Amino acid sequence: MQSYSQRVRDSILPLSVGDTLPKAFEEWYFTGSTEDHEEPSETCELCGQDGLRYHFEISNRFTGRALQVGSHCILQFDVAVYDGSRRLTAKEAKKQLDRLTEQMRLDSCIKSLEALARAEHSNILDNALAYYRKNKKLTPKQAFVVFWRLRRNRIDHSPSFFNVTLRKKQHVTDLREMASDKVHFFWRALTSAQRKQAMRLGHQPPKE
Ligand SMILES: [Zn+2]
């Protein structure tokens, strides 16, 4: 069986000028290009890890070759990440890649909401889309309607990518007064702190 480091070596050395891993990795940088494959179905072209949903493109400055990899490999091998002409520190690079992942998740939520707004002509869904674009969150009332209708219309979506706001008193009141089976529609979009809050308000977690 091929070892992890052997796999990395076999992927990167033929596409690089340098003949050792440290020399080769010096030549590579993150291009800023990302892709959301919408399912965890992709493979990291560097280390072979599969089950990836997001690809990040790295390129070699001398050979011009490119690889589609997971963000883990960019961080693991300290592949250069730039902000303009400045190379980011390891900590900044991680933050930047996290930010890009977060952006892809947001885009994926917006895409589902747009499909829903097209499928049904309703004010509440149009408003939910506008509210999400502005606040990157749904109110509890919007969350129930959105998840109910997304399921009903069989629109592909990732519930855990959505965010729900409980910042205003009204949101908490709405959550308390909502029937538990409605709350269960958006349970997976709640953070663990919000789930605890929902339980204090009298809701039980969904079964299964
Ligand atoms: Zn990898």
Side-chain angles (χ1 to χ4, degrees):
M1 208 186 95
Q2 234 186 355
S3 75
Y4 173 79
S5 55
Q6 188 58 45
R7 221 164 25 227
V8 170
R9 215 181 301 273
D10 288 351
S11 329
I12 200 107
L13 291 185
L15 309 179
S16 307
V17 176
D19 53 2
T20 64
L21 275 187
K23 277 192 214 160
F25 273 116
E26 281 297 303
E27 304 166 11
W28 291 77
Y29 64 97
F30 169 51
T31 65
S33 173
T34 57
E35 192 170 358
D36 177 0
H37 293 281
E38 298 186 2
E39 283 176 32
S41 55
E42 297 297 316
T43 304
C44 175
E45 291 181 346
L46 195 48
C47 72
Q49 183 184 316
D50 52 21
L52 299 184
R53 171 166 173 155
Y54 307 109
H55 264 157
F56 294 74
E57 185 185 66
I58 60 171
S59 181
N60 183 296
R61 70 184 88 251
F62 300 129
T63 65
R65 302 297 292 270
L67 289 172
Q68 304 297 325
V69 305
S71 58
H72 60 268
C73 263
I74 295 178
L75 299 172
Q76 168 85 22
F77 297 106
D78 200 20
V79 176
V81 177
Y82 288 95
D83 177 19
S85 60
R86 188 175 73 86
R87 181 167 177 177
L88 300 181
T89 64
K91 208 172 155 193
E92 290 171 330
K94 175 165 189 341
K95 235 176 166 177
Q96 171 72 356
L97 298 181
D98 286 348
R99 207 169 18 235
L100 288 168
T101 305
E102 199 48 49
Q103 183 62 44
M104 285 190 273
R105 290 182 172 167
L106 176 66
D107 291 345
S108 145
C109 292
I110 298 279
K111 218 169 124 189
S112 306
L113 288 171
E114 284 172 342
L116 183 57
R118 274 197 305 272
E120 297 194 19
H121 299 280
S122 98
N123 277 337
I124 184 158
L125 294 174
D126 290 345
N127 290 340
L129 173 59
Y131 192 88
Y132 208 83
R133 279 208 177 105
K134 182 157 176 268
N135 302 293
K136 304 179 185 178
K137 288 182 168 64
L138 295 171
T139 70
K141 279 185 165 178
Q142 287 172 337
F144 159 62
V145 178
V146 160
F147 284 99
W148 171 39
R149 302 317 298 173
L150 280 172
R151 272 198 225 171
R152 178 60 62 89
N153 286 284
R154 297 176 193 282
I155 293 171
D156 192 35
H157 65 288
S158 306
S160 59
F161 291 179
F162 282 86
N163 296 306
V164 174
T165 180
L166 293 175
R167 263 190 53 220
K168 290 189 180 159
K169 226 172 155 182
Q170 187 62 48
H171 301 149
V172 178
T173 305
D174 290 343
L175 182 64
R176 183 174 52 234
E177 290 174 355
M178 199 177 283
S180 283
D181 55 346
K182 289 187 175 180
V183 177
H184 291 169
F185 271 90
F186 58 89
W187 192 262
R188 287 180 59 199
L190 298 175
T191 64
S192 59
Q194 288 176 329
R195 290 176 190 180
K196 282 185 190 141
Q197 190 174 358
M199 289 191 264
R200 281 197 301 274
L201 293 170
H203 298 297
Q204 291 300 315
K207 294 198 178 64
E208 47 96 74

